[in-house]
Amino acid sequence: MNNRKLGLGVIALSVLAIIGMGVLWAVYGWMPAQKANLAPVIDGPFYFVKWASAALTLGVVLAMLYLMVKYTRKSETQRSEVVIPNTIMETAWIVLPTILVLVVFTWGFKAYVTSNVAPPGAYEIYVKGKKWLWEFTYPNGVVTNELTVPANRPVKLIMTSDDVLHSFYIPEFRVKHDVIPNRYTSVWFESGQPTATAAQLETPGYDFVQVFCTEYCGTAHSAMGTRLNVLMQRDFDTWLASVETPSEASVDYGEKLYSQKACITCHSVDGSGKVGPTFKGIYGRQQQMTDGSVVESDEDYLYQSIVNPGGQVVAGYQNQMPVIALDEVQIQSLIMWMKTVE
Amino acid sequence: MASTATAHADHQAHVQHHFVSSEQQFDSAKMGMWLFLITEILLFSGMFVAYAVYRVWYPEMFDSAAQELLDPFKGALNTIVLLGSSLTVAMAIRFIQDDEAKKAGWALVVTVLLAGVFMVIKYFEYTHKIHEGILPGVHYSYEGLTTPYVGIFMSIYFVMTGIHGLHVVIGMVILSVIAFRTFRGDFSSEYYTYIELSALYWHLVDIVWIFVFPLIY
Amino acid sequence: MSTATAAPAILPKGHEPTHNYLKEPKGIKSWLTTVDHKRIGIMYLFTVTGFFLIGGILALLVRLELIAPGETIMDQDTYNQIFTLHGVVMVFLFIIPSIPASLGNFLLPIMVGAKDVAFPRLNLASFYIYLAGALLAVAGIVFGGVDTGWTFYTPYSLETSAGVLWMTMAVFVAGFSSILTGINFIVTIHKMRAPGLTWNRLPLMIWGLYATSIVQVLATPVIGITMLLLFFERVMGIGIFDPALGGDPVLFQHFFWFYSHPAVYIMILPAFGVISELVTTFSRQNIYGYKPIALSSVAIAFLGFLVWGHHMFVSGQSEVSSIVFSLITYLIGIPSGIKVFNWVATMYKGSVWLRTPMLYALAFLFLFTIGGVTGIMLGVLAVDIHLHDTYYVVAHFHYVMMGGTVIAFIGGVHYWWPKMFGKMYNQLWSTIGAALVFVGFNITFFPQFILGSQGMPRRYHDYSQLANGEPVRQDIIDLFTQLHFMSTVGSWVLALGLFVAFFTLLASLRKGAPLAEGNPWGAATLDWTATTSPPDPHNFHHTPIVTRGPYDYHLLDELYGDGGDSGDGSKLGDGSAAPVVVTPSKDSEV
Ligand code: HEA
Ligand code: HEA
Ligand code: CUA
Ligand SMILES: [Cu+2]
């Protein structure tokens, strides 16, 4: 393999890489859809830096390939010429990047301030992260596990955690902040188009905005995502007024809560072990505890297990279960449903 | 800075083969020790930062905890003891430079003894606290002062003084070995690198305490 | 160096040096108790490469799990342990010791014209301390495993399995080894340089190692105390990092990144040193701007201490600190840019010779630039809000760590291999290896930039399920699946390339494989001109005397012939006489 052939190989691979990257860029793009007011604010500096970076990288690579070809070694005895570094060049590549980064800094800084300061009068929702679900508390006391917000209105989330660090992330809103125990942090946004009508929320497969947890929080960190629904203000009001818990406990409602309240993350119904024991045949089962005692699983035991999970821990499991916000009807429904899981 | 080429013939017994001269070896050892001391200072700085942060977070708790839980008298006594021991190691170096190995050895022995006194006083402080339940973090159970989070103060106290105490103990071991070797006649005004290095280390232990004492007590 | 000492050092092809550090003294015990920096370097080389392979195999498992949505080959807990182990092994057991402890140990004394490092016994001790650290890490895996991520964030690390205790001690102990190496290097560079080797004549590899050592000495104690505090927190509940006791988890992050950001420069600065050597040697050209390159390493080391907060823009640190950290973060781009531009410019009017090490150097320039500019992207305050803890960050740091440091490391190993073992590897196969690594690397990690900016969070075992058991939005699953699939396929190409590269190197060690020439690349630094390949156990017969800069090819008459007496009596006088060292030979061409 002589120098010239290798040079061609280097050029071929470099060009291949550049084209490949370009194709991926063109096909997939970078940022997800802009669904809230902050998205354009953040995408501005992003795309500026992206193009500047692409130009810089391309410049470096092309210069490299050019010099490689132009000054390729032609014979064993070829001597290089003495080069005295050019001061103008040396200064230029200090000054120009400096200017560039200062521009970027100022831009990023302004966008940061915008994204940080919620306008007064924003609609406030309290958010609690726990392993591994989110709880959203609205001003009227309603608690849900999916976030529903009014469209075209500033919303401020005031967030804290019950256990470890989590992070609340809405890619299409460009919103993210860590959620910390014993501290409140907040984010705000003003979402654009509604994603659904109140009626659609009842039907499966409707469009929603994806929420992720982005701070590693243990086993089911990757299954801590939830939905965000944007409703028109009118729809939102109707929806908020209608989310009350049924006044009567029922098996159906219990089954719904099983997934809504994310019991499903840790408890299976098919007998397989997850983070917690399976619900299959849970009622009436003889349960061995870590302290050695054996308890028969009756209503009272199930009740205690839900309201005070750390009280008695089933042998072979960690004390991992969070206290989940549930009212009496909900607990009753869950218990009624659990008794039916065979 | 660069060493000068010296022929192998100049090598004295204590000069290792890869050094060209005794000075080069001594300078290298001393520089190495200084760098090591810098890492030690940074290790303690980490704890001082933790101290500063929590002091800003919980200023009242820090004031009351220091007043009620710690014994400044014992702390002050220990400061004096350590300062004295710093003086005696410094004397050891003077003596060895004058080729008075015996005296140097005794100066080191006194240093070790003073360090021992320091540890005894520390022992009384610790046992008293453990007895009263003035313990770090979750283990704190003293009834006399129940300001919230006072356990954190005690954690900082125990971690700092504990790691410092560990350094004192290590210093005692090193100084004892060096004292032994001094009596054996390993060192002279020509070659006393190890006395110099262990003295540097001991001064560091002393200086750290000089910061710990006024901050915590 | 004086021609008098250089002449016997450089042997023509097929001649073995009379003394060879690999063979004297003999026996496994002589290796395990050696204080020879070269042997310690070689032992490090094989150990860190071993950990790289382990870390790499873990990475392949991570990639395989992500090839499709849902659970593919392992459950959540296993996945969490595997990526943590991948990160811990790669960072603490591979990349931090990689270049400094292996190539650095081998080369530093030779390049400064010394017989050994200043404290040879300490050097051996640091190797065993490092092994002890590795052993503790293994203990961590055996006693419960670790699933915290390599960052050990509290409070999660306080409540998960007890393996964390072992792992924190492993990091503490490995850090101690790193400090000892750093101290040793600094003192050696200050005190042991050969006569005539002024600071301005130091090879840039030495400047890189010098800057690295400073960072090692100044930053590592902080990770030491952090790990100690975490250890006490777990065994005694001291409460400093535990919010339940009034402690502050964000403080832990400050402590952690105060070390771990400078640590990324511990990883990259030695790589910068290697690249400077490769680019000059294979361009037959003095470095374009010696001082800017040397001093920018020091500037990066210094600035590196002031930017740790850029890992915490969304963690709840104060806004003002975020702004300051962001500003200083950009400033690091400038000295890094100086380096990249100067390396490229070094080829100007040079004589570019494309041997395998140079191919890696060119790959480095390409990949590190991408890694660097995407780092700048992450430093943009507002943009990082969106990109933090997504695959964009994962792609960024693999471009700088794998595409930067590891590529430079492999390039350096190819470059110094004939020096270390006296053998030459097969050029064709090593070229194929390099090409596969370059292609595979890009297929693996470029899609991750897109994944990240499209919102794929990192440390995810799966990307298809919500907390209520229902699926993530379908178009998101589809997008992520395609890109993850590409990335996983890329990791196979990458693994194949690495296999070819390593196998080609190892194959050259077999009996009967061709011996290397004394200075096969026609390099100009002391390691090539003043010692045999492989070197004598004492490196030099006489302490070399240095009379010129490390890359003064125009003064390198001993390499090119001085145009004077060409041996057969014909005086050409035009510099075209056959070089003494770069002997043309057919089989070294293939
Ligand atoms: C070898 C290791 C290495 C190196 C060298 C770097 C280099 C840089 N890194 Fe990187 N980084 C990591 C390893 C490394 N990083 C790791 C491991 C993480 C993640 C840790 C974790 O969370 O697990 C991380 C994360 C990380 C973050 C946090 C992201 C987040 O979690 O949200 C940020 C943010 O600012 C950042 C920035 C930078 C910058 C600005 C540089 C700069 O030093 C780059 C400078 C180089 C260039 C800029 C290219 C060359 C210059 C030019 C061609 C000139 C022209 C350039 C300009 C005008 C800008 N890095
Ligand atoms: C030096 C640092 C380093 C290196 C080199 C690598 C190399 C690789 N890494 Fe790693 N990575 C990290 C440091 C590194 N990584 C860190 C710090 C994290 C964060 C962890 C955390 O979140 O806590 C991470 C996380 C990380 C993730 C994200 C996991 C997640 O967030 O869920 C992924 C996913 O793709 C990944 C993939 C890879 C791949 C495919 C490689 C490949 O480049 C690996 C290539 C190597 C091999 C494939 C070796 C195999 C070789 C052979 C088989 C040849 C055998 C030959 C002989 C025996 C002769 N890494
Ligand atoms: Cu909650 Cu990750
Ligand atoms: Cu960083």
Side-chain angles (χ1 to χ4, degrees), chain C residues 154-174:
Chain C
T154 55
Y156 184 72
S157 56
L158 301 178
E159 50 179 62
T160 180
S161 85
V164 174
L165 277 180
W166 295 93
M167 217 42 111
T168 52
M169 284 302 100
V171 172
F172 181 84
V173 170

Side-chain angles (χ1 to χ4, degrees), chain A residues 56 60 97 100-101, chain C residues 150-151 257 264-265 267-268 310-311 329 332-333 336-337 340-341 368-369 372-373 375-376 378-379 384 388-389 393 396-397 400-401 405 458-459:
Chain A
L56 254 167
V60 168
L100 189 64
V101 294
Chain C
W150 79 285
T151 48
W257 291 115
V264 312
Y265 298 112
M267 304 169 195
I268 200 72
H310 67 206
H311 296 272
T329 298
I332 293 193
S336 312
V340 170
F341 297 137
F368 175 73
T369 303
V373 292
I376 296 293
L378 291 170
D384 187 58
H388 175 70
D389 270 350
V393 178
H396 155 67
F397 68 70
V400 277
M401 296 210 284
T405 307
R458 62 190 281 207
R459 297 173 171 172

Side-chain angles (χ1 to χ4, degrees), chain A residues 46-67:
Chain A
F46 177 89
Y47 281 108
F48 176 76
V49 176
K50 199 87 246 173
W51 281 106
S53 305
L56 254 167
T57 310
L58 211 60
V60 168
V61 172
L62 292 182
M64 176 182 100
L65 295 178
Y66 170 77
L67 292 174

Side-chain angles (χ1 to χ4, degrees), chain A residues 50 80 131 176 216 227, chain C residues 147 159 284 388 392 470:
Chain A
K50 199 87 246 173
S80 51
K131 290 195 293 192
K176 178 186 292 138
Y216 177 69
R227 296 170 173 149
Chain C
D147 69 339
E159 50 179 62
R284 283 290 178 288
H388 175 70
Y392 199 92
E470 283 172 43

Side-chain angles (χ1 to χ4, degrees), chain C residues 289-520:
Chain C
Y290 176 89
K291 278 207 178 121
I293 291 211
L295 296 181
S296 60
S297 286
V298 181
I300 291 173
F302 173 73
L303 287 173
F305 279 100
L306 305 175
V307 303
W308 76 88
H310 67 206
H311 296 272
M312 302 167 59
F313 287 156
V314 299
S315 72
Q317 77 181 355
S318 83
E319 271 113 60
V320 182
S321 22
S322 287
I323 290 162
V324 175
F325 282 128
S326 166
L327 183 61
I328 306 176
T329 298
Y330 298 129
L331 297 184
I332 293 193
I334 292 157
S336 312
I338 293 176
K339 282 179 180 299
V340 170
F341 297 137
N342 278 304
W343 285 322
V344 172
T346 298
M347 289 192 272
Y348 176 63
K349 294 195 176 171
S351 164
V352 181
W353 194 24
L354 295 171
R355 298 285 84 177
T356 316
M358 184 60 169
L359 299 179
Y360 281 105
L362 296 176
F364 174 96
L365 290 178
F366 195 149
L367 303 178
F368 175 73
T369 303
I370 296 184
V373 292
T374 51
I376 296 293
M377 177 74 92
L378 291 170
V380 185
L381 273 175
V383 176
D384 187 58
I385 293 177
H386 177 66
L387 297 177
H388 175 70
D389 270 350
T390 65
Y391 264 76
Y392 199 92
V393 178
V394 174
H396 155 67
F397 68 70
H398 284 93
Y399 261 82
V400 277
M401 296 210 284
M402 177 78 200
T405 307
V406 179
I407 293 283
F409 175 63
I410 300 177
V413 170
H414 277 86
Y415 177 60
W416 280 291
W417 191 262
K419 171 62 48 186
M420 293 189 285
F421 299 103
K423 299 282 195 141
M424 185 53 94
Y425 45 86
N426 183 300
Q427 291 287 336
L428 176 64
W429 280 105
S430 67
T431 306
I432 294 176
L436 285 173
V437 167
F438 178 76
V439 173
F441 175 85
N442 281 304
I443 306 179
T444 311
F445 293 108
F446 194 79
Q448 295 187 358
F449 282 123
I450 298 179
L451 266 176
S453 64
Q454 291 283 358
M456 169 77 204
R458 62 190 281 207
R459 297 173 171 172
Y460 261 32
H461 160 262
D462 174 30
Y463 38 92
S464 67
Q465 207 196 5
L466 301 176
N468 61 8
E470 283 172 43
V472 166
R473 210 174 70 209
Q474 194 57 45
D475 57 320
I476 297 180
I477 300 183
D478 294 342
L479 180 75
F480 288 177
T481 309
Q482 290 172 25
L483 291 162
H484 272 306
F485 180 80
M486 266 179 242
S487 177
T488 304
V489 171
S491 72
W492 300 334
V493 179
L494 178 56
L496 180 68
L498 289 167
F499 178 81
V500 171
F502 284 124
F503 191 83
T504 307
L505 286 176
L506 290 178
S508 78
L509 295 182
R510 73 188 189 277
K511 276 217 171 60
L515 292 175
E517 297 156 57
N519 184 357

Side-chain angles (χ1 to χ4, degrees), chain B residues 1-5 8 11 16-20 24-25 27-33 35-36 38-40 42-47 49-50 53-54 57-58 136-139 149 151-152 155-156 158-159 163 194, chain C residues 115-121 172 176 179-180 182-183 186-187 190-197 199 217-219 221-222 224-225 228-229 232 235-241 243-248 251 255 538 543:
Chain B
M1 279 274 201
S3 55
T4 42
H8 275 253
H11 265 191
Q16 289 170 291
H17 91 282
H18 61 288
F19 287 114
V20 288
Q24 190 193 27
Q25 173 165 333
D27 285 353
S28 301
K30 208 161 153 180
M31 183 176 186
M33 193 65 195
L35 288 167
F36 177 70
I38 290 175
T39 69
E40 289 277 31
L42 283 157
L43 184 85
F44 281 101
S45 312
M47 289 180 269
V49 168
V53 168
Y54 285 108
W57 273 40
Y58 307 120
V138 276
H139 303 292
Y149 305 141
I152 289 214
S155 299
I156 292 175
F158 274 107
V159 172
I163 293 183
Y194 287 112
Chain C
K115 291 206 189 84
D116 208 322
V117 290
F119 313 114
R121 271 175 294 169
F172 181 84
F176 205 63
I179 289 179
L180 295 182
I183 291 179
I186 296 180
V187 175
H190 269 272
K191 303 287 181 194
M192 314 269 296
R193 298 196 310 280
L197 188 54
W199 286 95
V217 167
L218 295 184
V222 178
I225 187 68
L228 273 184
L229 289 175
F232 290 141
V235 285
M236 310 196 318
I238 58 174
I240 291 187
F241 299 134
L245 298 170
D248 183 8
L251 183 67
F255 270 68
H538 299 286
T543 306

Side-chain angles (χ1 to χ4, degrees), chain B residues 71-80 121-122 125 209 213 217:
Chain B
D71 186 344
F73 174 70
K74 290 204 186 95
L77 200 61
N78 258 345
T79 312
I80 295 168
I121 296 178
K122 202 82 263 151
E125 269 192 89
W209 180 256
F213 172 62
Y217 283 87

